Amino acid sequence: MSPFPKPNPRTSPLAPWLPALQTHLSNPSNTSFTLSTVSLPAPNQNQPNPIPSTASPTPRARTVEFRGFFPTLTLHSSATTALREQNIGLNPDIYESEMLAITTDKRMEKVRELESGSFRNPPPGTPRSQAPNNPALKLGQKVDDLLDPVARDNFRVVVIRPEEVERLDLRDLENVTRTRWTFLPAKKENGEGDGGAWEGSWEEVDLWP
């Protein structure tokens, strides 16, 4: 008997845009993508107003590595072997979702914008003349122990939950198509509020490109 509980059946189908995205990401050489974000400056807790009203949002774009759809992640074969050999195990292959997963280092200055780093290196972006407070942080370290406390403390999995998706199809330049999908949460039985954050439907609208 499986040690994992049987999940409740999902009544909502997976997103209609998911198969096309999975096709684009199925080639191992194409697992990276550009993630764009817009954020305000980091708050200054020493000021009465941590984020001034005059602060301007700043756009960022960076290349990140796609790790699969949470919680069933796509891992390197060596990572899969290490998880099994160190008796940690893998997530049970019984759940599926449209949530994209990437990894990042919590110490990155722009971690809110999802930059990545090395988890036993000195803090990224700090001067080389400044010795790390933790002597365990050094360049060029190879981490084999998946329970390494230093690396695990800095390691983060970032999960992106799409609520609106657009696709621009340029394959036929004489008939370019643009489609937008918006997630509509299911209503409760009494017609009020959110009937479940994970249940609902995707509204599809064709747009002029």
Side-chain angles (χ1 to χ4, degrees), residues 3 21 35-36 43 56 63 68 86 103-104 118-119 134 145 154 169 185 190 194 197:
L21 179 60
L35 181 66
S36 299
S56 299
T63 300
Q86 297 180 32
T103 52
T104 190
S118 299
F119 307 115
N134 186 345
D145 182 3
N154 296 321
D169 192 337
N190 61 8
D194 187 346

Side-chain angles (χ1 to χ4, degrees), residues 124-145:
T126 56
R128 280 180 174 261
S129 59
Q130 177 181 326
N133 294 330
N134 186 345
L137 300 176
K138 300 176 183 178
L139 283 178
Q141 297 187 79
K142 183 178 179 181
V143 179
D144 295 317
D145 182 3

Side-chain angles (χ1 to χ4, degrees), residues 18-195:
L18 185 60
L21 179 60
Q22 289 175 321
T23 299
H24 290 305
L25 296 173
S26 61
N27 188 333
S29 64
N30 293 329
T31 57
S32 60
F33 64 94
T34 300
L35 181 66
S36 299
T37 60
V38 177
S39 64
L40 291 170
N44 185 348
Q45 302 299 338
N46 297 323
Q47 298 295 328
N49 184 7
I51 300 180
S53 58
T54 56
S56 299
T58 304
R60 292 285 187 269
R62 60 197 46 81
T63 300
V64 296
E65 286 298 318
F66 173 64
R67 303 299 184 188
F69 293 94
F70 190 82
T72 307
L73 305 182
T74 303
L75 304 176
H76 191 276
S77 58
S78 61
T80 301
T81 300
L83 284 167
R84 288 171 174 160
E85 290 181 348
Q86 297 180 32
N87 297 319
I88 297 175
L90 303 171
N91 288 340
D93 190 16
I94 55 177
Y95 301 101
E96 58 183 355
S97 79
E98 307 96 348
M99 296 187 294
L100 290 80
I102 63 175
T103 52
T104 190
D105 188 321
K106 75 169 187 179
R107 300 167 300 168
M108 298 299 289
E109 182 179 355
K110 298 182 178 66
V111 68
R112 295 176 304 149
E113 295 144 12
L114 313 181
E115 287 190 359
S116 300
S118 299
F119 307 115
R120 280 191 68 99
N121 280 354
T126 56
R128 280 180 174 261
S129 59
Q130 177 181 326
N133 294 330
N134 186 345
L137 300 176
K138 300 176 183 178
L139 283 178
Q141 297 187 79
K142 183 178 179 181
V143 179
D144 295 317
D145 182 3
L146 297 181
L147 297 179
D148 181 277
V150 176
R152 286 179 66 88
D153 183 57
N154 296 321
F155 180 82
R156 293 294 183 273
V157 175
V158 178
V159 178
I160 302 172
R161 180 186 173 193
E163 295 180 348
E164 184 174 293
V165 175
E166 280 198 17
R167 181 182 67 187
L168 181 64
D169 192 337
L170 301 174
R171 288 175 295 181
D172 183 357
L173 296 180
E174 295 184 358
N175 184 29
V176 175
T177 61
R178 180 181 173 187
T179 309
R180 180 178 64 210
W181 292 273
T182 304
F183 184 72
L184 304 176
K187 295 293 184 180
K188 293 182 179 179
E189 292 184 2
N190 61 8
E192 298 179 358
D194 187 346

